[in-house]
Amino acid sequence: MRKEKDTHSFDFRPLGLTIREAREKAGLSRNDLGDKVFYGEHHIADIENIGKHPSFQLFHDLVTMFNISVDEYFYLAKNVEKNTARRQIDSSLDLLSDNELKIIQGTIDGILNSRENKK
């Protein structure tokens, strides 16, 4: 007697929304993104809007292009080391000069000091 395999269907919609947000933040239209990854804009729209499952290659291309952490979507119960926002901020920080980083550090220090003063 064969035992049924316990499977669950992965809901790609939240990840599709993250891809859309990252695409828009990058200033790319669906057509622009489609041209970069060799897919039509309708296919990109289906991934973003209805959670259509992309091929593994397209999935890889999209999450690496936009520095999206898939751990936060695959391992919901675990504390993810670096979520998408942190990965994208890290990537942006790499583009800044030392003087620009000092401004960012000053902002961070101000936020942390404000937090301490509220306690």
Side-chain angles (χ1 to χ4, degrees):
M1 183 158 116
R2 253 179 103 179
K3 188 175 182 180
E4 291 271 330
K5 185 177 179 182
D6 184 25
T7 62
H8 105 212
S9 179
F10 180 73
D11 181 6
F12 200 83
R13 284 176 294 180
L15 198 45
L17 291 173
T18 299
I19 291 167
R20 180 175 68 198
E21 289 170 9
R23 174 187 57 76
E24 290 172 348
K25 183 178 176 187
L28 295 172
S29 69
R30 285 188 180 120
N31 191 46
D32 294 337
L33 178 57
D35 287 348
K36 287 182 173 290
V37 295
F38 307 106
Y39 280 87
E41 65 183 290
H42 294 293
H43 189 66
I44 301 298
D46 286 347
I47 292 168
E48 293 178 348
N49 294 331
I50 63 172
K52 181 176 182 176
H53 291 211
S55 68
F56 183 76
Q57 184 62 54
L58 179 56
F59 173 75
H60 175 268
D61 292 347
L62 293 172
V63 297
T64 56
M65 179 184 299
F66 296 123
N67 292 312
I68 295 171
S69 170
V70 297
D71 288 355
E72 64 189 282
Y73 300 96
F74 289 166
Y75 304 107
L76 299 175
K78 291 185 179 181
N79 188 10
V80 177
E81 184 177 326
K82 283 195 177 185
N83 66 17
T84 298
R86 288 184 181 277
R87 285 175 183 261
Q88 291 172 343
I89 289 170
D90 282 348
S91 186
S92 295
L93 290 174
D94 290 341
L95 303 173
L96 299 178
S97 69
D98 286 343
N99 284 336
E100 292 165 331
L101 288 171
K102 288 177 185 175
I103 295 168
I104 300 298
Q105 185 61 56
T107 303
I108 292 169
D109 292 344
I111 292 169
L112 295 175
N113 285 338
S114 173
R115 191 184 292 169
E116 287 296 317
N117 290 336
K118 287 181 182 177
K119 288 182 181 180

